Structures are given as structure tokens and as C-alpha cells.
Amino acid sequence: MILLLRNRVFKIVLIADLLQQAGIWIRNMSLLFYIMDQSNNNPTAVSLLTALEYLPIFIFSLIGGTFADRWEPKRTVIFGDSLSALSMLLILLLISLGIWQAVFAATVISAIVSQFSQPSSSVLLKRHIPSEDVGTAVGINQSLLALFTILGPVFGTFVYTQLGIRSAVIALFIIFALAAAIQLFLPSSNREKSQEKNTAISDIKSGFKYVLDHVNLKLIAIMFAISGIAMGITQPLDVFVTMERLGLPKESVQWFAASEGVGMLFGGILAAAISSRIIRYRRAVLTVTMIIWSMITLTEVLSTWPTLTVIARVLSGVATAFFQVVFSAMMIKEIKEEYIGRTNGIVLPLLMGGMLLGSTLSGIIVNQIELFGAYFIASVLTLSCVVFTLRLRTDYMNVNDKHHN
């Protein structure tokens, strides 16, 4: 742990991530409230904001991951944050001219840039952090990100309500500019550019081949798609469970979300402390996580006691932290460096696609078989992922990488 905290790359990446999280929450809350004010609480405008946040993930995730594999990671992360900062100045100008719809562009630009910079951060961690410390590094990062899950909405709301949209956009410019400046201190590398002889299309094809050649990655891809559908079914229904099952006002849903954030915070700390053990037994950890998520899904819809629901959400947060630490460590440690971006770009959109499909089906399912039926289907889908986690091989990816070298 002490050696990790002395690692210059880890500290720079961590500080940059924290700055970006602050920027994301200021952006999310400020733009949400600003758009609601400008559109007279038009739900179409609000839903468009959400769509513009997720749509670039499908369009640019694989593209961003491919170019993150081709480009030098230090330049990529600096360029990404610099572009985000400059875009804030353009949006500030457009707002000053009365074109309030320009704020939608802030979400689009930020979402696109993140598809290039996030895989590059993973490459930096893989390159500069000892393999045995990767789990601890991911756990620390997840804990701090969980803290933003709890405090982020409050922080973002405060900036907008107290300072207004112009000051919020200026704050975003400063935050992204600081993140870019800090990453100037990352070490440069003499990364071989042999892949530049190939076209981007051929790189994408080789990325799909890499995933298909690895049993673990194929299993994870299927698992992500199924669990994404399950999460998508229940996510829009949380507010109805709060009102109908617990008899609380809809505003109370935020406290249950915060409870899950608390669980993620403590789960991340615990996972960081025992990272070597949980990564060693990753198949068991992922399997138990799926079982816990399945049981918690049923508990949420059956519970009529707010205290029980809070406990369930805290446990869900702990399980989520363990899952994220194990999964992220697997992606960093076991995938060849030149394939990290493309692998993320292929696997992670399946989760998002599943969530959007589940969210689309959610209303239809509730109308046909009510809340209990929807949560039961989500629970069964989550439990079915155990079939895939139990088939994960703990040595397969490393062995295959040797064959590829």
C-alpha cells in the first residue's frame, strides 16, 4: 500500500480521475436543472439529456478503445481533458448568446472524450503499476469514486443553485484544464507503434478476434448483456417501489441510492485491503456477487420496511465494489496491453445495451405482471449469470497471452 501511494503514475491518474468525477457531477446536476428551467420541466428535454449521455458510448466506445490502443496514452488523456476544457469555453459563449440548447453539446463531447481517455488510463495503470498492486489500486480508486456517488449530487446541485449555469461552466473549464495540466507530469513512453502499419478497421477486427479467442472474455460479454437487462428492468422502478411498497414520497429514493453509495465506499476500502485474495478467488467472488444481487433484487420488492431496504442497498453496494475491483483488475492484469482499449470497447457496450433494452421493456413488464413480476424476472436473469461465472478459467487468459506473444 505504501509503495503504491508513492507511485507517481498512480497518484496522477487518481487525482485526474477525482477532478473528472467532480466535473461530471457538476455537469450532470447543473445541466439537468438548467434544462428543466429553460424547458419548463419538459420530460422530453430531460430524457434527451440522458440519451445524449449514453448514445456516444455505443457509437464511440469501440472506436475510442481502438485508437486508445494505437495512440500514446499520455498524449491521449491530456488531449481529451484539454478538448473538454476548450469545449466549455465554446459552450459558455453560446449560452451568453442565448443559445441555451448548446448545453446538450457539453454532455455529448464529454461522453465521446471519455471513450478515448478511460482505456488510456487503464493502459497507464497496467504499464506502471506492479501486477500485485493492481487490485489495491483499483479498490482505492473505486472507494473514492463511491464517495462522489454519495456527495456528487449535493456538490453539483450546490454549484448550480448558488452560482448559476455560467459559473458552473467556468468551473468545468477550470477542472478539466487542471486535470490536463496534472497529467503533463506523467512519464512519456517509447511505445512501439507497430500497430500503426494496420488500418483502424483491421485493428477492430483483430480486437473482435482477440475477444472470441478467449473463453473468459466471451463469458464476461454474455454475462454483461444479461445482467444489463436485469439492471435496466429494475432501475426505472426504484421510485415506484419506494412509493408503493414503502409508502414513502418519491423524493426518498435519493436516500436509498445514497445507501448503495455508502456500501460501495466501504466495500471498495475492504476490497482494496484484501485485493490479492479476492482476485485469486475471482471466480468465487463473481459467482457469490451474482447470487447476492439476485437475492437483494427480490428483497427490495418484497420489503415493506425502509430499514430492511436500506440494509439491502448497502449490501448491494458492497457487492458492487467487490465486483468492480475484481473485474477491473482482470481487465488490466490479464489482457495484453495493446488490446485493453478494444476489449473494453467490445465488452462494456453490451452492459449498456442490456440496460437500455431492460429499461425499454420495464414499463411493458410492469403493466402485464406488476412490480413483483418485473423484479422476479430481473432476479432470475441475474441468477442465471452464475452459469457463466462458474465457467470462468483462472489461468486461461494468461496462458493464451503466452501463445499470442
Side-chain angles (χ1 to χ4, degrees):
M1 176 75 77
I2 295 176
L3 292 177
L4 181 62
L5 295 177
R6 291 175 180 171
N7 187 297
R8 178 160 60 110
V9 172
F10 173 69
K11 288 188 290 187
I12 292 173
V13 171
L14 185 63
I15 293 171
D17 282 349
L18 293 178
L19 286 170
Q20 290 160 4
Q21 282 296 309
I24 287 171
W25 280 108
I26 292 175
R27 182 202 71 191
N28 287 352
M29 304 310 296
S30 297
L31 298 191
L32 172 63
F33 293 135
Y34 180 68
I35 287 171
M36 291 179 72
D37 289 342
Q38 295 297 316
S39 66
N40 295 318
N41 299 328
N42 188 325
T44 302
V46 174
S47 63
L48 178 60
L49 182 67
T50 303
L52 290 176
E53 182 179 355
Y54 289 113
L55 187 60
I57 296 176
F58 292 101
I59 300 175
F60 291 97
S61 183
L62 181 55
I63 298 172
T66 299
F67 281 96
D69 287 337
R70 294 167 66 88
W71 295 340
E72 208 283 320
K74 176 182 176 179
R75 287 201 299 267
T76 303
V77 294
I78 293 173
F79 176 78
D81 284 327
S82 299
L83 180 61
S84 294
L86 292 174
S87 68
M88 293 302 112
L89 294 181
L90 176 61
I91 289 165
L92 181 63
L93 173 63
L94 294 174
I95 291 175
S96 300
L97 294 175
I99 309 175
W100 69 267
Q101 294 87 349
V103 298
F104 286 112
T107 297
V108 175
I109 293 171
S110 179
I112 292 174
V113 168
S114 67
Q115 303 314 305
F116 291 82
S117 59
Q118 286 177 353
S120 296
S121 294
S122 296
V123 171
L124 287 166
L125 292 179
K126 181 179 181 66
R127 183 180 297 171
H128 296 284
I129 293 180
S131 178
E132 63 271 16
D133 291 332
V134 167
T136 304
V138 173
I140 292 173
N141 194 38
Q142 291 295 336
S143 298
L144 293 174
L145 296 186
L147 191 60
F148 273 96
T149 303
I150 303 168
L151 302 178
V154 178
F155 179 56
T157 301
F158 174 83
V159 171
Y160 177 75
T161 56
Q162 299 300 313
L163 303 177
I165 187 63
R166 286 181 176 82
S167 296
V169 174
I170 293 173
L172 287 170
F173 165 75
I174 294 172
I175 286 171
F176 288 124
L178 276 175
I182 288 171
Q183 291 171 119
L184 287 171
F185 295 97
L186 286 167
S188 299
S189 65
N190 298 318
R191 187 178 184 180
E192 294 183 5
K193 294 294 182 178
S194 58
Q195 65 263 41
E196 289 187 352
K197 298 177 183 178
N198 304 321
T199 64
I201 296 298
S202 64
D203 279 353
I204 290 175
K205 290 180 180 178
S206 66
F208 275 103
K209 185 177 185 303
Y210 185 80
V211 171
L212 293 174
D213 283 347
H214 291 76
V215 171
N216 279 6
L217 290 179
K218 287 190 291 186
L219 293 172
I220 289 172
I222 298 170
M223 181 181 68
F224 266 39
I226 295 174
S227 59
I229 295 173
M231 286 188 283
I233 290 174
T234 59
Q235 198 171 58
L237 303 179
D238 282 348
V239 65
F240 297 102
V241 169
T242 301
M243 293 187 296
E244 296 180 18
R245 297 296 300 163
L246 302 177
L248 298 173
K250 62 181 184 298
E251 291 80 8
S252 299
V253 72
Q254 64 179 312
W255 303 115
F256 297 109
S259 300
E260 188 152 7
V262 171
M264 290 177 64
L265 174 61
F266 288 105
I269 295 171
L270 179 60
I274 59 173
S275 60
S276 59
R277 297 179 186 176
I278 63 175
I279 292 172
R280 187 183 310 133
Y281 301 106
R282 51 189 176 273
R283 179 168 54 194
V285 171
L286 295 179
T287 300
V288 172
T289 299
M290 289 298 169
I291 295 172
I292 291 174
W293 275 342
S294 177
M295 295 172 61
I296 287 173
T297 301
L298 286 179
T299 301
E300 285 186 24
V301 75
L302 293 173
S303 172
T304 57
W305 302 328
T307 302
L308 177 59
T309 303
V310 166
I311 293 172
R313 294 300 289 268
V314 170
L315 291 175
S316 177
V318 173
T320 299
F322 271 69
F323 180 91
Q324 289 175 342
V325 168
V326 170
F327 172 74
S328 298
M330 284 177 62
M331 297 295 278
I332 293 173
K333 291 179 63 174
E334 300 185 1
I335 296 174
K336 293 180 69 176
E337 180 184 315
E338 59 267 35
Y339 287 96
I340 286 179
R342 281 166 286 178
T343 301
N344 276 279
I346 293 169
V347 174
L348 295 183
L350 292 173
L351 178 67
M352 301 302 303
M355 290 179 67
L356 286 179
L357 177 59
S359 297
T360 303
L361 297 173
S362 180
I364 300 173
I365 295 173
V366 169
N367 288 333
Q368 296 296 320
I369 52 179
E370 299 184 344
L371 281 174
F372 290 101
Y375 274 75
F376 178 78
I377 290 175
S379 177
V380 171
L381 285 172
T382 302
L383 189 61
S384 70
C385 291
V386 168
V387 174
F388 304 102
T389 58
L390 287 174
R391 294 176 61 189
L392 290 172
R393 297 179 60 176
T394 57
D395 61 341
Y396 185 85
M397 298 172 80
N398 288 331
V399 169
N400 274 271
D401 277 352
K402 294 176 183 176
H403 293 327
H404 278 77
N405 288 335

